[in-house]
Each structure stands twice: as structure tokens, then as C-alpha cells.
């Protein structure tokens, strides 16, 4: 037995309400997770690009892939997160640093909030296109 969704029926209204509820629940869970992620100080994957961009702006491109420099520049963030890692090495191509450079002058939490917001906006734009 097929449900006719082409007309205004209680089944169509129920489906719309179910979809709206799912979108609101997922949005709430994402927002709650993002706020916790930003405020906890655990920058995870963001830390390698952020600290590398800060290093490049302060000291230039020399030492971009020097692991001892990366460990030293990430130590504050790794310790704050209570992570067992020594560091999250930057192993991307040098142009990747340009994505993080506008965020480097910002405090870490603000930079991460901007990074997450930009990613969400780009994701919404990609879905809408």
C-alpha cells in the first residue's frame, strides 16, 4: 500500500513534521557539540594548521616541517586537552597554511569558532547548489 504524498494529506504533514524534527534534533546536537569543542580547548585536527600558520607569520617559512618546532608550538594545546600525543604534525603542502593565516592572529577559541562556521556555511552552500 503506497502513501500518496502529492496532495495535502495527514501522511504528508506527518512526514514533514518528522523531517523538521530530525533536522532540528541534528542541528541541536551539532551546535551543542561545536560549542563544547570550542570551549573545551581541545582543538584536535585544527591545531596543526593553526599553530603552523602562527609560526609562519612570526618566523617565516623556515622550519615548516621541523617536528621539534611543531611539538614546541603545539605543546600548550596538547597539554590543555590532556592528549597523550606528542604533537599533530603538519604534513600538508605549504599552500595549506594560507587557509589558516587569517585565523592565526585570533585567540584559539575564536579562530576555531570561525573555522567551524566557515565549514558549516560552505557545507550548506554545497547542499543548496
Amino acid at each position: 500500500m503506497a502513501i500518496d504524498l502529492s496532495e495535502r494529506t495527514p501522511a504528508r504533514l506527518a512526514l514533514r513534521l518528522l523531517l523538521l524534527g530530525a533536522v532540528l534534533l541534528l542541528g541541536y546536537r551539532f551546535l551543542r557539540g561545536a560549542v563544547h569543542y570550542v570551549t573545551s580547548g581541545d582543538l584536535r585536527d585544527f591545531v596543526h594548521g593553526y599553530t603552523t600558520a602562527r609560526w609562519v607569520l612570526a618566523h617565516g617559512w623556515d622550519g615548516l616541517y621541523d617536528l621539534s618546532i611543531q611539538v614546541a608550538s603545539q605543546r600548550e594545546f596538547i597539554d590543555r586537552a590532556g592528549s597523550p600525543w606528542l604533537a599533530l604534525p603538519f604534513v600538508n603542502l605549504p599552500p595549506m597554511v594560507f587557509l589558516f593565516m587569517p585565523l592565526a592572529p585570533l585567540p584559539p577559541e575564536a579562530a576555531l569558532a570561525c573555522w567551524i562556521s566557515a565549514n558549516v556555511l560552505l557545507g550548506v552552500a554545497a547542499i543548496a547548489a
Side-chain angles (χ1 to χ4, degrees):
M1 180 172 133
I3 298 176
D4 182 19
L5 297 177
S6 61
E7 298 178 17
R8 291 182 181 254
T9 62
R12 185 174 180 165
L13 178 61
L15 182 62
R16 284 187 173 189
L17 288 174
L18 182 65
L19 288 173
L20 177 64
V23 167
L24 290 174
L25 178 64
L26 289 173
Y28 168 75
R29 295 286 311 232
F30 173 79
L31 186 61
R32 192 177 81 176
V35 167
H36 172 73
Y37 186 62
V38 169
T39 58
S40 71
D42 184 0
L43 304 182
R44 298 185 193 234
D45 293 338
F46 177 74
V47 74
H48 77 283
Y50 177 72
T51 56
T52 302
R54 289 177 61 157
W55 171 264
V56 168
L57 288 175
H59 305 286
W61 293 93
D62 292 337
L64 181 65
Y65 297 109
D66 186 337
L67 186 58
S68 62
I69 292 171
Q70 292 181 24
V71 169
S73 63
Q74 292 181 21
R75 179 62 24 218
E76 166 195 352
F77 303 106
I78 300 295
D79 289 345
R80 184 168 48 168
S83 176
W85 306 327
L86 182 61
L88 194 64
F90 183 80
V91 294
N92 298 304
L93 294 173
M96 182 72 165
V97 176
F98 291 119
L99 291 175
F100 291 93
M101 280 188 175
L103 304 173
L106 299 174
E109 292 79 11
L112 181 59
C114 290
W115 183 256
I116 290 173
S117 299
N119 279 282
V120 168
L121 289 174
L122 289 171
V124 169
I127 291 170

